[in-house]
Amino acid sequence: MNRFLVLFGVILTMALAAPAFAAPPLPIGGRTLAGPASTSLVASATETIAAGLSGNAICASVANTGSAAVQLTITGGATSVLTIPIRKTLTLCNDDPATASLLCMAIGTGTCKATWRIDDL
């Protein structure tokens, strides 16, 4: 019986830790300007992930590793907005950026987690 409980505990621990290991990596590339970095946000919070980007056309990649959608906004000459669903990785490009920010779309006491990277085109 004790062996079963120990084995069950190990399996349960691995299952609970699995989402942390399942996050898609965003390694540094040859044109990376910022990141990769991870962020955690409370519901409705915004975080500026890059500023002073003018002069470079960029693409921002976001891997949503949390349990609520994350919105990526790139402002500048034109504003680009993209919502990243949970467990998805998407990229948004902008030819005339100034800033890039993330918004947590969770409600109530929810939170968001994401990994991001910004690359020069």
Side-chain angles (χ1 to χ4, degrees):
M1 179 69 168
N2 283 341
R3 238 187 218 170
F4 172 76
L5 290 176
V6 169
L7 182 58
F8 179 74
V10 169
I11 291 171
L12 181 62
T13 301
M14 290 173 64
L16 292 174
F21 297 116
L26 292 173
I28 294 174
R31 302 182 68 89
T32 301
L33 296 174
S38 295
T39 189
S40 295
L41 299 167
V42 296
S44 301
T46 300
E47 179 179 339
T48 299
I49 58 174
L53 297 170
S54 58
N56 295 329
I58 63 147
C59 287
S61 299
V62 176
N64 185 343
T65 58
S67 57
V70 175
Q71 186 177 71
L72 169 63
T73 302
I74 302 174
T75 61
T79 298
S80 306
V81 179
L82 179 65
T83 299
I84 301 97
I86 58 172
R87 307 271 189 259
K88 299 291 182 187
T89 301
L90 298 175
T91 300
L92 179 63
C93 299
N94 189 301
D95 289 334
D96 188 20
T99 64
S101 60
L102 296 175
L103 168 65
C104 178
M105 304 293 285
I107 56 173
T109 59
T111 59
C112 296
K113 292 182 181 181
T115 301
W116 57 270
R117 184 184 77 203
I118 296 175
D119 295 300
D120 188 19
L121 283 178

